[in-house]
Amino acid sequence: MPATRRTRPRGAPRPPRGRGSLPGRITGPAPGSVPGPLLVLALAPAAMVVSVMQTVVVPILPVIRNELSLSSSAASWLITATLLSAAVSTPLLGRLGDQHGKRPVLLGVLALTTAGSVLAATAGSLPLLITARVLQGSSTALFPLALAVLRDEVRPDRLPGAMGLVSGTLAFGSGSALVGAGLLTRGPEAGYDRVFWLATALSAVALAAVALAVPPSPEPAGGRTDWAGAALLATALVLFLLPVSQGNTWGWDSPRVLGCLAGAAVATSVWVLVERRVREPMVDLRMFLLRPVLFTNIAGVLLGFGLFTQFIGVSYLVQTPPDIAGYGFGASVLRASVVYLLPGATASLAAARLGGVLAHRLGPRITLAAGAGAGVAGFAVLALAHGTPAAVVTGGVLTGIAVAFGFATLPAFIVAGVPAHQSGIAGGLNSISRSVGSSVASAVITALLAAGTLPDLPPGAPALPAESQYTLSFALGGAAFALVVLVALAGLNLDRPRARVVLETGPAADRQAEGRQAEEPSADGPPGGSGGAVLPGAGAGALSRE
């Protein structure tokens, strides 16, 4: 008689399991055996891979266009392909990480990213390059999976700092990718293959680090994969992001744009109906209604919008020739990356650790609001005083601090707001929210800069935006960060009263339980324990108010 498979009711806590269980199934380090600092060091390259894959192609698009004789619209698909791939794969991979363990999914994604980088370095045609960029787009899932690993393995009193450091490498990766691409494409004989070989090396290092230092998940949730829900969610995201990314080329009132947006609405409606009826849905829709998840995703969209507004606006502004336009600095791609963009990325890395510490001491809500306030100040400088290099760098540093604080605090709200067995999919959706914000910013800022151009330019000169268009663009970025302040203070009011978030299982929960019993012996409770963990913040799910 075949054995029947026992399933745990949806949302029910998993049974406790101590460290070192099921040793025969562990192919990496045992759960709980890797020190927190070493785990952060191992996951940091994976977080860098995410931002590198997203931004590395931007400065080399002209090189690719010239080598392959492509039009600008054709070359733009190298960015769109990665965006769509990330939208399709990130929620699914996050859910698979919850079900089957984060380590194997991390290794699989890094293997795909490495293969995509090798293919991009050796490709000599647009179809192969687009295929490579699709493989590289799966890397977006690495960030939420890395944070889910930290939740399982790091003591909650050290978790905000650990998340801050990993988040800082995510922000720093964008700047380093721009600098590396600029250096590797210098000279008449330079080609885009060197940049992708650099991406291959980084992916291989991240793959080795995860294989050597990341332990298996202590208790994967298991269950069936909702492939229908995954396909419908992917369809809805693609139909929304495709016209957003191509709207400036297709025309915003074109049948293709309007048809895709209508299709996205229909696909979303069908997805909601399916998810409400499936026993084990891809996304538990009740999670969207949780206050921490809802407002964290709103903050993610706004943060992504502000991040890309600064990136695109500063990149175009500093490369504008001042002798023709009357503003700008005539910087090369390399100089724009090193002098004007890298300081902000470096500030993000330096501020990430501080953001984690402040999130632990003051609470993530206050830290997020303070960082967004710095972003408002940075965009004010860019909007009103972008006539000198010092002002542009200062504005970039302030917005870099805002991004670092945002990346450091938003995962804390997710951790506090959902049970551990949903952290992968919840983090994946938050990553998608930032991608949506970035995509909208790219479309909006590009359209704004193209909408108002300078008259009476010399013959043969390219169309250049009027300086007022940059002022308006930076003002929109400041407004986005101002809304982040509002969301943090009014929507994410989770710092008081403090809450205890129960981590159902895992080495971090076990260690925290042991520490609490050593410090607070109780005559009422039994010795030992299944483990609960305290994290500043609050949310729904496994919570108890102090």
Side-chain angles (χ1 to χ4, degrees):
M1 181 176 179
T4 58
R5 180 178 180 181
R6 298 178 62 187
T7 60
R8 175 171 45 84
R10 183 174 62 188
R14 291 168 287 177
R17 178 171 291 175
R19 281 173 285 174
S21 60
L22 297 178
R25 297 186 184 181
I26 294 177
T27 57
S33 64
V34 181
L38 179 59
L39 192 61
V40 170
L41 186 64
L43 292 171
M48 274 193 71
V49 167
V50 177
S51 52
V52 167
M53 297 305 165
Q54 290 176 345
T55 58
V56 72
V57 77
V58 175
I60 63 173
L61 274 181
V63 178
I64 297 175
R65 188 171 62 241
N66 293 335
E67 287 195 22
L68 300 182
S69 301
L70 303 175
S71 64
S72 297
S73 59
S76 69
W77 280 99
L78 297 176
I79 298 176
T80 303
T82 306
L83 172 68
L84 299 181
S85 172
V88 170
S89 62
T90 301
L92 176 61
L93 292 171
R95 181 59 178 157
L96 292 176
D98 288 337
Q99 291 179 317
H100 306 293
K102 287 82 176 179
R103 173 187 161 87
V105 180
L106 280 169
L107 293 174
V109 173
L110 284 168
L112 285 175
T113 305
T114 304
S117 300
V118 172
L119 178 60
T122 56
S125 65
L126 181 61
L128 286 178
L129 268 180
I130 290 177
T131 303
R133 293 293 291 163
V134 168
L135 295 176
Q136 289 179 327
S138 65
S139 64
T140 305
L142 293 172
F143 183 59
L145 288 169
L147 297 183
V149 170
L150 292 178
R151 176 176 183 170
D152 286 342
E153 298 293 325
V154 177
R155 285 184 55 152
D157 57 332
R158 299 179 181 178
L159 187 56
M163 286 184 169
L165 285 173
V166 173
S167 301
T169 59
L170 178 71
F172 180 72
S174 298
S176 61
L178 294 172
V179 173
L183 289 173
L184 292 173
T185 52
R186 295 181 67 186
E189 302 299 326
Y192 63 83
D193 58 314
R194 298 181 183 180
V195 178
F196 289 120
W197 283 124
L198 176 64
T200 301
L202 177 60
S203 301
V205 169
L207 178 62
V210 169
L212 293 174
V214 174
S217 299
E219 180 66 25
R224 298 179 179 178
T225 302
D226 176 21
W227 295 107
L232 285 169
L233 178 59
T235 301
L237 288 170
V238 168
L239 288 176
F240 174 74
L241 292 173
L242 183 60
V244 168
S245 62
Q246 294 293 318
N248 289 318
T249 302
W250 292 351
W252 290 104
D253 57 350
S254 67
R256 281 189 288 182
V257 168
L258 298 178
C260 284
L261 293 177
V266 172
T268 301
S269 301
V270 176
W271 174 70
V272 169
L273 293 176
V274 170
E275 295 299 272
R276 293 180 63 181
R277 297 183 179 183
V278 175
R279 183 177 180 181
E280 297 183 45
M282 171 79 174
V283 178
D284 187 347
L285 295 179
R286 294 172 299 178
M287 183 175 63
F288 278 114
L289 301 179
L290 299 177
R291 190 181 185 95
V293 176
L294 175 63
F295 283 97
T296 299
N297 287 334
I298 293 173
V301 172
L302 296 170
L303 185 69
F305 186 95
L307 170 64
F308 248 64
T309 297
Q310 187 267 345
F311 172 70
I312 295 175
V314 170
S315 297
Y316 290 170
L317 173 70
V318 301
Q319 294 182 64
T320 302
D323 54 333
I324 298 177
Y327 67 91
F329 308 104
S332 63
V333 172
L334 179 60
R335 182 174 174 82
S337 302
V338 174
V339 176
Y340 297 98
L341 294 175
L342 184 60
T346 305
S348 295
L349 181 62
R353 174 63 177 173
L354 175 61
V357 172
L358 292 178
H360 179 63
R361 294 184 179 180
L362 303 178
R365 179 173 68 100
I366 299 301
T367 305
L368 176 61
V376 173
F379 274 116
V381 172
L382 290 173
L384 302 175
H386 52 256
T388 64
V392 174
V393 171
T394 300
V397 168
L398 289 172
T399 55
I401 293 172
V403 170
F405 279 25
F407 283 163
T409 53
L410 292 185
F413 293 108
I414 295 294
V415 167
V418 301
H421 65 276
Q422 292 181 332
S423 58
I425 180 62
L429 292 173
N430 188 246
S431 294
I432 291 299
S433 73
R434 292 196 300 271
S435 296
V436 168
S438 299
S439 302
V440 172
S442 178
V444 169
I445 302 307
T446 302
L448 276 178
L449 296 181
T453 57
L454 292 172
D456 303 325
L457 292 174
L464 295 173
E467 187 175 5
S468 60
Q469 300 303 104
Y470 286 103
T471 301
L472 178 58
S473 299
F474 293 137
L476 286 178
F481 276 127
L483 289 176
V484 174
V485 175
L486 180 63
V487 168
L489 297 180
L492 292 168
N493 53 341
L494 305 176
D495 290 338
R496 297 293 185 269
R498 296 170 72 87
R500 297 178 64 190
V501 181
V502 179
L503 304 184
E504 296 94 333
T505 61
D510 293 340
R511 289 194 295 270
Q512 188 71 10
E514 294 166 1
R516 286 204 312 275
Q517 289 179 4
E519 297 171 3
E520 303 175 6
S522 173
D524 298 328
S530 61
V534 180
L535 183 70
L543 296 179
S544 62
R545 291 286 181 189
E546 292 184 347

